[in-house]
Amino acid sequence: TDALLGAAEAMLALERVCLAHPSDEIVGTVGKITNEPNAPNIIPGKVQFHMEIRGKTRADIQEAIDKWEMQAALISSRRGVRIERRMLLDQHPVGMDPLVAGTCALQAEK
């Protein structure tokens, strides 16, 4: 079983979940990816990637995580790969300072 293809599908599922979320504030990204053994002509046996979901409220973020986990379970079953999720950082959403937001909006209009 190709772990990299399973991971790629899980990453695309993150994109789909975030794009489909009713809140425009929900965004997801994948930053770091490691692939083992990361060699030509060898089917990857292990992949780790760091994903982040941001949003306006904790409830929106949790909803996106729950939907992604449902997709990950389907991918795991269909591809025969094990997908595990570990929380590395859990921060409360914080709104941008109104002065900074206003300045950005003003500059964007120019």
Side-chain angles (χ1 to χ4, degrees):
T1 304
D2 191 322
L4 184 56
L5 292 178
E9 194 170 344
M11 290 180 227
L12 290 171
L14 172 66
E15 178 185 50
R16 280 191 309 275
V17 163
C18 291
L19 288 173
H21 195 277
S23 170
D24 290 338
E25 300 284 332
I26 287 291
V27 293
T29 188
V30 173
K32 181 180 178 182
I33 303 168
T34 58
N35 176 39
E36 294 177 20
N38 200 27
N41 301 319
I42 298 176
I43 295 171
K46 180 178 180 180
V47 175
Q48 290 183 323
F49 64 92
H50 292 201
M51 67 181 222
E52 179 181 19
I53 298 175
R54 287 173 293 186
K56 191 171 187 175
T57 68
R58 288 184 74 78
D60 284 348
I61 294 168
Q62 189 59 55
E63 183 181 349
I65 290 170
D66 293 344
K67 288 185 179 185
W68 179 82
E69 284 183 332
M70 287 189 293
Q71 293 297 310
L74 293 172
I75 294 163
S76 177
S77 176
R78 186 174 61 252
R79 288 197 168 268
V81 296
R82 187 177 76 226
I83 298 177
E84 297 176 2
R85 183 178 74 86
R86 276 190 306 142
M87 181 75 69
L88 298 179
L89 183 62
D90 185 14
Q91 295 178 312
H92 292 278
V94 176
M96 185 179 283
D97 181 273
L99 177 62
V100 174
T103 302
C104 289
L106 182 63
Q107 293 300 313
E109 292 174 3
K110 289 184 179 184

